[in-house]
Amino acid sequence: MKPIVITKTVSLYSGPTKTEYKNTEAVDYTGLKLKLDYGDGIYKIIDGEPYVTSCIENDDATNGIRYEITVKYENDIFEIDTYKLSWYFNENSSTDMVDWYYYENNGQKVTGERELESSMGSQIKRWYLFDNNGLMQRGWKTINSKYKYYLIIDSTVGNRDELLSKGFNDGSLATNTWVQIYNTGDQRYYWYHFDADGYMQTGWLYLNGYYYYLKPLNFSEWSGPEGSMIVNKTVTIDGKKYTFDEGGVCLNP
């Protein structure tokens, strides 16, 4: 009597259920199943986790793959990729800064200007700008022929602690707020105000009962950059002289 030969094929049946990971989340094998098919409609579903032979954690923020899982059952090998989700960063030794990227939709980098959960916590949403390679941008940017400022949380922003306390963070768009920004040209700090859409304001600004004047383009009586607040000076605006104190408040509106 010849022995009965049982042949089977092995396939990846499902999982893992979790396919996207934030940078603090550990790999989760829940839902990882293998199918052992013996033919004639006879098969068995088994837990795949005991057959995981390696799991490579990818920390490179420029790559959307998070965990690379290898499963081996006898001679059959299965490779499974999972993906990054939300904020990831690389240390940049050439700039002494952090390069931030944001991932969604199975490891796709966000590009352009987007409102996203802050890297400080998911309860806070801020606007950020990313280049075509997904790298978060900082500093002055021209958008729709107007200026916006994406915060640099370092010594170039004089009121950075105040901004952090308001929920702004590195790279977030300055909106509805004052920002004191260092000007490398004359090595001075100047105050600027940004509206609800993040655009730098110029001209008269009425805020909390006080008038301020933010330098318009080609206004020659104030040596600061365009948009900077006039302080400690008397200037002529539309034929009338106005005096501004050290806090930028107009004393004779």
Coordinates of all heavy atoms in Angstrom, one line a residue, residues 18-101:
K18 N -3.1 46.4 12.0 CA -2.5 47.8 12.1 C -1.5 47.9 11.0 O -0.5 47.2 11.0 CB -2.0 48.0 13.5 CG -1.5 49.4 13.7 CD -1.1 49.7 15.2 CE -0.6 51.1 15.4 NZ -1.7 52.1 15.1
T19 N -1.7 48.9 10.1 CA -0.7 49.1 9.0 C 0.0 50.4 9.1 O 0.9 50.7 8.3 CB -1.5 49.0 7.7 OG1 -2.5 49.9 7.6 CG2 -2.1 47.6 7.5
E20 N -0.5 51.4 10.0 CA 0.1 52.7 10.1 C 0.5 53.0 11.5 O -0.2 52.6 12.4 CB -0.8 53.8 9.6 CG -1.2 53.6 8.1 CD -2.1 54.7 7.6 OE1 -3.2 54.8 8.2 OE2 -1.8 55.5 6.7
Y21 N 1.7 53.6 11.7 CA 2.2 53.8 13.0 C 2.7 55.2 13.2 O 3.5 55.8 12.4 CB 3.4 52.9 13.3 CG 3.0 51.4 13.4 CD1 2.9 50.6 12.3 CD2 2.7 50.8 14.6 CE1 2.5 49.3 12.4 CE2 2.4 49.5 14.8 CZ 2.2 48.7 13.6 OH 1.9 47.4 13.7
K22 N 2.3 55.8 14.3 CA 3.0 57.0 14.8 C 4.4 56.7 15.4 O 4.6 55.5 15.7 CB 2.1 57.8 15.8 CG 0.8 58.3 15.2 CD 0.0 59.1 16.2 CE -1.2 59.6 15.6 NZ -2.0 60.5 16.5
N23 N 5.2 57.7 15.5 CA 6.6 57.4 15.8 C 6.9 56.8 17.2 O 7.9 56.3 17.5 CB 7.5 58.6 15.6 CG 7.2 59.7 16.6 OD1 6.3 59.6 17.4 ND2 7.9 60.9 16.4
T24 N 5.9 56.8 18.1 CA 6.0 56.3 19.4 C 5.4 54.9 19.6 O 5.4 54.3 20.6 CB 5.4 57.2 20.5 OG1 4.0 57.4 20.2 CG2 6.1 58.5 20.5
E25 N 4.8 54.4 18.5 CA 4.0 53.2 18.6 C 4.8 51.9 18.2 O 5.5 52.0 17.2 CB 2.8 53.2 17.7 CG 1.7 54.3 18.1 CD 0.6 54.4 17.2 OE1 0.7 54.2 16.0 OE2 -0.6 54.6 17.7
A26 N 4.7 50.9 19.0 CA 5.4 49.6 18.8 C 4.7 48.8 17.8 O 3.4 49.0 17.6 CB 5.6 48.9 20.1
V27 N 5.4 47.9 17.1 CA 4.7 47.0 16.1 C 3.7 46.2 16.8 O 3.8 45.7 18.0 CB 5.8 46.2 15.4 CG1 6.4 45.2 16.4 CG2 5.2 45.4 14.2
D28 N 2.6 45.9 16.1 CA 1.5 45.1 16.6 C 1.1 44.0 15.6 O 0.8 44.3 14.4 CB 0.3 46.0 16.8 CG -0.9 45.3 17.4 OD1 -0.9 44.1 17.6 OD2 -1.9 46.0 17.8
Y29 N 1.3 42.8 16.0 CA 1.0 41.7 15.0 C -0.4 41.2 15.0 O -0.7 40.2 14.3 CB 2.0 40.5 15.4 CG 3.4 40.8 15.3 CD1 4.3 40.8 16.4 CD2 4.0 41.1 14.0 CE1 5.6 41.1 16.3 CE2 5.3 41.4 13.9 CZ 6.2 41.4 15.0 OH 7.5 41.7 14.9
T30 N -1.3 41.8 15.8 CA -2.7 41.3 15.8 C -3.3 41.3 14.4 O -3.1 42.2 13.6 CB -3.5 42.3 16.7 OG1 -3.0 42.4 18.0 CG2 -5.0 41.9 16.8
G31 N -3.9 40.1 14.1 CA -4.5 39.9 12.8 C -3.7 39.3 11.8 O -4.1 38.9 10.7
L32 N -2.4 39.0 12.2 CA -1.5 38.4 11.2 C -1.8 36.9 11.2 O -1.6 36.2 12.2 CB 0.0 38.6 11.7 CG 1.1 37.9 10.8 CD1 1.0 38.3 9.4 CD2 2.4 38.2 11.4
K33 N -2.3 36.4 10.1 CA -2.7 35.0 9.9 C -2.1 34.3 8.7 O -2.0 35.0 7.7 CB -4.2 34.9 9.9 CG -5.0 35.5 11.0 CD -4.8 34.8 12.3 CE -5.7 35.4 13.4 NZ -5.5 34.7 14.7
L34 N -1.8 33.1 8.8 CA -1.4 32.3 7.6 C -2.5 31.2 7.3 O -3.2 30.8 8.2 CB -0.1 31.5 7.9 CG 1.1 32.4 8.2 CD1 2.3 31.5 8.6 CD2 1.5 33.3 7.0
K35 N -2.6 30.9 6.0 CA -3.5 29.9 5.6 C -2.8 28.7 5.1 O -1.9 28.8 4.2 CB -4.4 30.4 4.5 CG -5.5 29.4 4.0 CD -6.4 30.0 2.9 CE -7.4 29.1 2.4 NZ -8.3 29.6 1.4
L36 N -3.0 27.5 5.7 CA -2.5 26.3 5.2 C -3.5 25.5 4.4 O -4.5 25.1 5.0 CB -2.0 25.4 6.4 CG -1.1 26.1 7.4 CD1 -0.7 25.1 8.5 CD2 0.1 26.7 6.8
D37 N -3.3 25.4 3.1 CA -4.4 24.8 2.2 C -3.9 23.4 1.8 O -2.9 23.3 1.2 CB -4.5 25.8 1.0 CG -5.8 25.4 0.2 OD1 -6.2 24.3 0.3 OD2 -6.4 26.3 -0.4
Y38 N -4.8 22.4 2.2 CA -4.4 21.0 1.8 C -5.2 20.5 0.6 O -5.1 19.4 0.2 CB -4.8 20.2 3.0 CG -4.0 20.5 4.3 CD1 -4.6 21.4 5.2 CD2 -2.7 20.0 4.5 CE1 -3.9 21.7 6.4 CE2 -2.0 20.4 5.7 CZ -2.6 21.2 6.6 OH -1.9 21.6 7.7
G39 N -6.0 21.4 0.0 CA -6.7 21.0 -1.2 C -8.1 20.4 -0.8 O -8.4 20.1 0.3
D40 N -8.9 20.3 -1.9 CA -10.3 19.7 -1.7 C -11.0 20.5 -0.6 O -11.9 19.9 0.1 CB -10.2 18.2 -1.3 CG -9.6 17.3 -2.4 OD1 -9.8 17.7 -3.6 OD2 -9.0 16.3 -2.1
G41 N -10.8 21.8 -0.6 CA -11.5 22.6 0.4 C -11.1 22.5 1.8 O -11.7 23.0 2.7
I42 N -10.0 21.8 2.1 CA -9.5 21.6 3.4 C -8.4 22.6 3.7 O -7.4 22.6 2.9 CB -9.0 20.1 3.6 CG1 -10.2 19.1 3.4 CG2 -8.5 20.0 5.1 CD1 -9.7 17.7 3.4
Y43 N -8.5 23.4 4.7 CA -7.5 24.3 5.0 C -7.5 24.7 6.5 O -8.5 24.3 7.2 CB -7.7 25.6 4.2 CG -8.9 26.4 4.5 CD1 -9.0 27.4 5.5 CD2 -10.1 26.2 3.8 CE1 -10.1 28.1 5.8 CE2 -11.2 26.9 4.1 CZ -11.3 27.8 5.1 OH -12.4 28.5 5.4
K44 N -6.5 25.3 7.0 CA -6.4 25.7 8.4 C -5.8 27.1 8.4 O -4.8 27.5 7.7 CB -5.5 24.7 9.1 CG -5.3 25.0 10.6 CD -4.4 23.9 11.2 CE -4.3 24.1 12.7 NZ -3.4 23.1 13.4
I45 N -6.4 27.9 9.3 CA -5.9 29.3 9.5 C -5.1 29.3 10.9 O -5.7 28.9 11.9 CB -7.1 30.3 9.6 CG1 -7.9 30.2 8.4 CG2 -6.5 31.7 9.8 CD1 -7.2 30.5 7.1
I46 N -3.9 29.8 10.8 CA -3.1 29.8 12.0 C -2.5 31.2 12.3 O -2.5 32.0 11.4 CB -1.9 28.8 11.9 CG1 -0.9 29.2 10.8 CG2 -2.4 27.3 11.7 CD1 0.3 28.4 10.8
D47 N -2.2 31.4 13.6 CA -1.6 32.6 14.0 C -0.2 32.8 13.4 O 0.6 31.9 13.4 CB -1.5 32.7 15.5 CG -0.9 34.0 16.1 OD1 -0.9 34.9 15.3 OD2 -0.6 34.0 17.2
G48 N 0.0 33.9 12.7 CA 1.3 34.1 12.0 C 2.4 34.7 12.9 O 3.6 34.6 12.5
E49 N 2.1 35.2 14.1 CA 3.1 35.9 14.9 C 4.3 34.9 15.3 O 5.4 35.3 15.2 CB 2.5 36.5 16.1 CG 3.5 37.2 17.0 CD 2.9 38.0 18.1 OE1 1.7 38.1 18.2 OE2 3.7 38.5 19.0
P50 N 4.0 33.6 15.6 CA 5.1 32.8 16.0 C 6.1 32.5 14.9 O 7.2 32.0 15.1 CB 4.4 31.5 16.4 CG 3.0 31.9 16.8 CD 2.7 33.0 15.9
Y51 N 5.7 32.9 13.7 CA 6.6 32.6 12.5 C 7.3 33.9 12.0 O 7.9 33.9 10.9 CB 5.7 31.9 11.4 CG 5.1 30.7 11.9 CD1 3.8 30.6 12.3 CD2 5.8 29.5 11.9 CE1 3.2 29.5 12.8 CE2 5.3 28.3 12.4 CZ 3.9 28.3 12.8 OH 3.4 27.2 13.3
V52 N 7.1 34.9 12.8 CA 7.9 36.2 12.4 C 9.3 36.0 12.7 O 9.7 35.7 13.9 CB 7.3 37.4 13.2 CG1 8.2 38.6 13.0 CG2 5.9 37.7 12.8
T53 N 10.2 36.1 11.7 CA 11.6 35.9 11.9 C 12.4 37.2 12.0 O 13.5 37.2 12.6 CB 12.2 35.1 10.7 OG1 11.9 35.8 9.5 CG2 11.6 33.7 10.6
S54 N 11.8 38.3 11.6 CA 12.5 39.6 11.8 C 11.5 40.7 11.6 O 10.5 40.6 10.9 CB 13.6 39.8 10.8 OG 13.1 40.0 9.5
C55 N 11.8 41.8 12.3 CA 11.0 43.0 12.1 C 12.0 44.2 12.2 O 12.6 44.5 13.2 CB 10.0 43.1 13.3 SG 9.0 44.7 13.2
I56 N 12.2 44.8 11.0 CA 13.1 45.9 10.9 C 12.4 47.3 11.1 O 11.4 47.6 10.4 CB 13.8 45.9 9.6 CG1 14.6 44.6 9.4 CG2 14.8 47.1 9.4 CD1 15.2 44.4 8.0
E57 N 12.8 48.0 12.1 CA 12.2 49.3 12.4 C 13.0 50.4 11.6 O 14.2 50.6 11.8 CB 12.3 49.6 13.9 CG 11.7 50.9 14.3 CD 11.7 51.1 15.8 OE1 12.1 50.2 16.6 OE2 11.3 52.2 16.3
N58 N 12.3 51.1 10.8 CA 12.9 52.1 9.9 C 12.6 53.5 10.5 O 11.5 54.0 10.5 CB 12.3 52.0 8.5 CG 12.8 53.1 7.6 OD1 13.8 53.7 7.9 ND2 12.2 53.2 6.4
D59 N 13.7 54.1 11.0 CA 13.6 55.4 11.7 C 13.9 56.6 10.7 O 13.8 57.8 11.1 CB 14.6 55.5 12.9 CG 14.1 54.7 14.0 OD1 12.9 54.6 14.2 OD2 14.9 54.1 14.7
D60 N 14.3 56.3 9.5 CA 14.6 57.4 8.5 C 13.3 58.1 8.1 O 12.4 57.5 7.5 CB 15.2 56.8 7.3 CG 15.6 57.8 6.2 OD1 15.4 59.0 6.5 OD2 16.0 57.4 5.1
A61 N 13.2 59.4 8.5 CA 12.0 60.1 8.3 C 11.7 60.4 6.8 O 10.6 60.8 6.5 CB 12.0 61.4 9.1
T62 N 12.7 60.2 5.9 CA 12.4 60.5 4.5 C 11.8 59.3 3.8 O 11.4 59.4 2.7 CB 13.7 60.8 3.8 OG1 14.6 59.7 3.8 CG2 14.4 62.0 4.4
N63 N 11.6 58.2 4.5 CA 11.1 56.9 3.9 C 9.8 56.6 4.6 O 9.7 56.6 5.9 CB 12.1 55.8 4.1 CG 11.7 54.5 3.5 OD1 10.5 54.1 3.5 ND2 12.6 53.8 2.9
G64 N 8.7 56.3 3.9 CA 7.4 56.1 4.4 C 7.2 54.7 5.1 O 6.2 54.5 5.7
I65 N 8.1 53.8 4.9 CA 8.0 52.5 5.5 C 8.4 52.6 7.0 O 9.4 53.1 7.3 CB 8.9 51.4 4.8 CG1 8.5 51.3 3.3 CG2 8.8 50.1 5.5 CD1 7.1 50.9 3.1
R66 N 7.6 52.0 7.9 CA 7.9 52.0 9.3 C 8.5 50.7 9.8 O 9.6 50.6 10.2 CB 6.6 52.3 10.1 CG 6.8 52.4 11.6 CD 8.0 53.3 12.0 NE 8.0 53.5 13.4 CZ 9.1 54.0 14.1 NH1 10.2 54.2 13.4 NH2 9.1 54.2 15.4
Y67 N 7.7 49.6 9.7 CA 8.2 48.3 10.1 C 8.2 47.3 8.9 O 7.2 47.2 8.2 CB 7.3 47.7 11.2 CG 7.4 48.4 12.5 CD1 6.3 49.2 12.9 CD2 8.5 48.4 13.3 CE1 6.3 49.9 14.1 CE2 8.6 49.1 14.5 CZ 7.5 49.9 14.9 OH 7.5 50.6 16.1
E68 N 9.3 46.6 8.7 CA 9.4 45.6 7.6 C 9.4 44.3 8.3 O 10.4 43.9 8.9 CB 10.7 45.8 6.8 CG 10.7 47.2 6.1 CD 12.1 47.5 5.5 OE1 12.4 46.8 4.5 OE2 12.8 48.3 6.0
I69 N 8.3 43.6 8.1 CA 8.1 42.3 8.8 C 8.4 41.1 7.9 O 7.9 41.1 6.7 CB 6.7 42.2 9.4 CG1 6.4 43.4 10.3 CG2 6.4 40.9 10.1 CD1 4.9 43.6 10.6
T70 N 9.1 40.1 8.3 CA 9.4 38.9 7.6 C 8.8 37.7 8.3 O 9.0 37.5 9.5 CB 10.9 38.7 7.4 OG1 11.4 39.8 6.7 CG2 11.1 37.4 6.6
V71 N 7.9 37.0 7.6 CA 7.3 35.8 8.2 C 7.8 34.6 7.4 O 7.8 34.6 6.2 CB 5.8 35.9 8.1 CG1 5.1 34.6 8.7 CG2 5.3 37.1 8.8
K72 N 8.2 33.5 8.1 CA 8.7 32.3 7.4 C 8.0 31.1 8.0 O 8.0 30.8 9.2 CB 10.2 32.2 7.6 CG 10.8 30.9 6.8 CD 12.3 30.9 6.9 CE 12.8 29.7 6.1 NZ 14.3 29.6 6.2
Y73 N 7.4 30.3 7.1 CA 6.7 29.0 7.5 C 7.4 28.0 6.6 O 7.1 27.9 5.4 CB 5.2 29.1 7.4 CG 4.5 27.8 7.9 CD1 4.0 27.8 9.1 CD2 4.4 26.7 7.0 CE1 3.4 26.6 9.6 CE2 3.8 25.6 7.5 CZ 3.3 25.5 8.8 OH 2.7 24.4 9.2
E74 N 8.2 27.1 7.3 CA 8.9 26.1 6.5 C 9.7 26.8 5.4 O 10.6 27.6 5.7 CB 8.0 25.0 6.0 CG 7.4 24.2 7.1 CD 6.5 23.1 6.7 OE1 6.2 23.0 5.5 OE2 6.0 22.3 7.5
N75 N 9.4 26.5 4.1 CA 10.2 27.2 3.1 C 9.5 28.4 2.4 O 10.1 29.0 1.5 CB 10.5 26.1 2.0 CG 11.4 25.0 2.4 OD1 12.3 25.2 3.2 ND2 11.1 23.8 2.0
D76 N 8.4 28.8 3.0 CA 7.7 29.9 2.4 C 8.0 31.2 3.2 O 7.9 31.2 4.5 CB 6.2 29.6 2.5 CG 5.8 28.5 1.5 OD1 5.8 28.8 0.3 OD2 5.5 27.4 2.0
I77 N 8.3 32.2 2.5 CA 8.6 33.5 3.2 C 7.7 34.6 2.7 O 7.4 34.7 1.5 CB 10.1 33.9 2.9 CG1 11.1 32.8 3.4 CG2 10.5 35.3 3.4 CD1 12.5 33.0 3.0
F78 N 7.2 35.4 3.6 CA 6.3 36.5 3.3 C 6.9 37.8 3.8 O 7.3 37.9 5.0 CB 4.9 36.3 3.9 CG 4.4 35.0 3.4 CD1 4.5 33.9 4.2 CD2 3.7 34.9 2.2 CE1 4.0 32.6 3.8 CE2 3.2 33.6 1.8 CZ 3.3 32.5 2.6
E79 N 7.0 38.9 3.0 CA 7.5 40.2 3.4 C 6.3 41.1 3.5 O 5.5 41.3 2.6 CB 8.5 40.7 2.4 CG 9.6 39.8 2.1 CD 10.7 39.8 3.2 OE1 10.5 40.7 4.1 OE2 11.6 39.0 3.2
I80 N 6.2 41.8 4.6 CA 5.0 42.7 4.9 C 5.6 44.1 5.3 O 6.4 44.2 6.2 CB 4.1 42.2 6.0 CG1 3.7 40.8 5.7 CG2 2.9 43.1 6.2 CD1 3.1 40.0 6.9
D81 N 5.1 45.1 4.6 CA 5.5 46.5 5.0 C 4.4 47.2 5.7 O 3.2 47.0 5.3 CB 5.8 47.3 3.7 CG 7.2 46.9 3.1 OD1 8.0 46.3 3.8 OD2 7.3 47.1 1.9
T82 N 4.7 47.9 6.8 CA 3.7 48.8 7.4 C 4.3 50.3 7.2 O 5.4 50.4 6.8 CB 3.5 48.5 8.9 OG1 4.8 48.7 9.6 CG2 3.1 47.1 9.1
Y83 N 3.5 51.3 7.6 CA 3.8 52.6 7.1 C 3.8 53.6 8.2 O 3.2 53.4 9.3 CB 2.8 53.0 6.1 CG 2.7 52.1 4.9 CD1 1.7 51.1 4.9 CD2 3.6 52.1 3.9 CE1 1.6 50.2 3.8 CE2 3.6 51.2 2.8 CZ 2.6 50.2 2.8 OH 2.5 49.3 1.8
K84 N 4.5 54.7 8.0 CA 4.5 55.8 8.9 C 3.2 56.6 8.9 O 2.6 56.7 7.8 CB 5.7 56.7 8.6 CG 7.1 56.1 8.9 CD 8.2 57.1 8.6 CE 9.6 56.6 9.1 NZ 10.1 55.5 8.2
L85 N 2.9 57.2 10.0 CA 1.7 58.0 10.1 C 2.0 59.2 11.0 O 2.7 59.0 12.1 CB 0.5 57.2 10.7 CG -0.8 58.0 11.0 CD1 -1.4 58.4 9.7 CD2 -1.8 57.1 11.8
S86 N 1.6 60.4 10.6 CA 1.8 61.6 11.4 C 3.3 62.1 11.3 O 4.0 61.9 10.3 CB 1.3 61.4 12.8 OG 1.3 62.7 13.5
W87 N 3.8 62.7 12.4 CA 5.1 63.4 12.4 C 6.3 62.4 12.6 O 6.2 61.6 13.5 CB 5.1 64.4 13.4 CG 4.2 65.6 13.2 CD1 3.0 65.8 13.8 CD2 4.4 66.7 12.3 NE1 2.4 67.0 13.3 CE2 3.3 67.6 12.4 CE3 5.5 67.1 11.5 CZ2 3.2 68.7 11.7 CZ3 5.4 68.2 10.8 CH2 4.3 69.1 10.9
Y88 N 7.3 62.6 11.7 CA 8.6 61.9 11.9 C 9.7 62.9 11.6 O 9.5 63.9 10.9 CB 8.7 60.7 11.0 CG 8.0 59.5 11.4 CD1 6.6 59.3 11.3 CD2 8.7 58.5 12.1 CE1 6.0 58.2 11.7 CE2 8.1 57.3 12.5 CZ 6.7 57.2 12.4 OH 6.1 56.1 12.8
F89 N 10.8 62.7 12.2 CA 11.9 63.7 12.0 C 13.3 63.0 12.0 O 13.5 61.9 12.5 CB 11.9 64.8 13.2 CG 12.4 64.2 14.5 CD1 13.7 64.2 14.9 CD2 11.4 63.7 15.4 CE1 14.1 63.7 16.1 CE2 11.8 63.2 16.6 CZ 13.1 63.2 17.0
N90 N 14.2 63.7 11.3 CA 15.6 63.4 11.3 C 16.4 64.5 11.9 O 16.1 65.7 11.6 CB 16.1 63.1 9.9 CG 15.6 61.8 9.3 OD1 15.2 60.9 10.0 ND2 15.6 61.8 7.9
E91 N 17.5 64.2 12.6 CA 18.4 65.3 13.0 C 19.3 65.7 11.8 O 19.7 64.8 11.1 CB 19.3 64.7 14.1 CG 18.6 64.3 15.4 CD 18.1 65.5 16.2 OE1 18.5 66.6 15.9 OE2 17.3 65.3 17.2
N92 N 19.4 67.0 11.6 CA 20.2 67.5 10.5 C 21.5 68.1 11.1 O 21.4 69.2 11.6 CB 19.4 68.5 9.7 CG 20.1 68.8 8.4 OD1 21.3 68.9 8.3 ND2 19.3 69.1 7.4
S93 N 22.6 67.4 10.9 CA 23.9 67.9 11.5 C 24.4 69.1 10.8 O 25.1 70.0 11.4 CB 24.9 66.8 11.5 OG 25.2 66.4 10.2
S94 N 24.0 69.3 9.5 CA 24.5 70.4 8.8 C 23.8 71.7 9.1 O 24.4 72.8 8.9 CB 24.4 70.2 7.3 OG 23.0 70.1 6.9
T95 N 22.6 71.7 9.6 CA 21.9 72.9 10.0 C 21.7 73.0 11.5 O 21.2 74.0 12.0 CB 20.5 72.9 9.3 OG1 19.7 71.8 9.8 CG2 20.6 72.8 7.8
D96 N 22.0 71.9 12.3 CA 21.7 71.9 13.7 C 20.2 72.0 14.0 O 19.9 72.5 15.1 CB 22.5 72.9 14.5 CG 24.0 72.6 14.5 OD1 24.4 71.4 14.5 OD2 24.8 73.5 14.4
M97 N 19.4 71.6 13.1 CA 18.0 71.7 13.2 C 17.4 70.3 13.0 O 18.1 69.4 12.6 CB 17.3 72.7 12.3 CG 17.9 74.1 12.5 SD 17.1 75.4 11.5 CE 15.6 75.6 12.4
V98 N 16.1 70.2 13.2 CA 15.4 68.9 12.9 C 14.6 69.0 11.6 O 13.9 70.0 11.4 CB 14.4 68.6 14.1 CG1 13.5 67.5 13.8 CG2 15.2 68.3 15.4
D99 N 14.7 68.0 10.8 CA 13.9 68.0 9.5 C 12.7 67.2 9.8 O 12.7 66.0 10.1 CB 14.7 67.3 8.4 CG 15.9 68.1 8.0 OD1 15.9 69.3 8.2 OD2 16.8 67.5 7.3
W100 N 11.5 67.8 9.7 CA 10.2 67.2 10.0 C 9.5 66.8 8.7 O 9.5 67.6 7.7 CB 9.3 68.2 10.7 CG 9.7 68.4 12.2 CD1 10.4 69.4 12.7 CD2 9.3 67.5 13.3 NE1 10.5 69.2 14.1 CE2 9.8 68.1 14.4 CE3 8.6 66.3 13.4 CZ2 9.7 67.5 15.7 CZ3 8.4 65.8 14.6 CH2 9.0 66.3 15.8
Y101 N 8.8 65.7 8.7 CA 7.9 65.2 7.7 C 6.6 64.8 8.3 O 6.6 64.3 9.4 CB 8.6 64.0 6.9 CG 9.9 64.4 6.3 CD1 11.1 64.3 7.0 CD2 9.9 64.7 4.9 CE1 12.3 64.6 6.4 CE2 11.2 65.0 4.3 CZ 12.3 65.0 5.1 OH 13.5 65.3 4.5

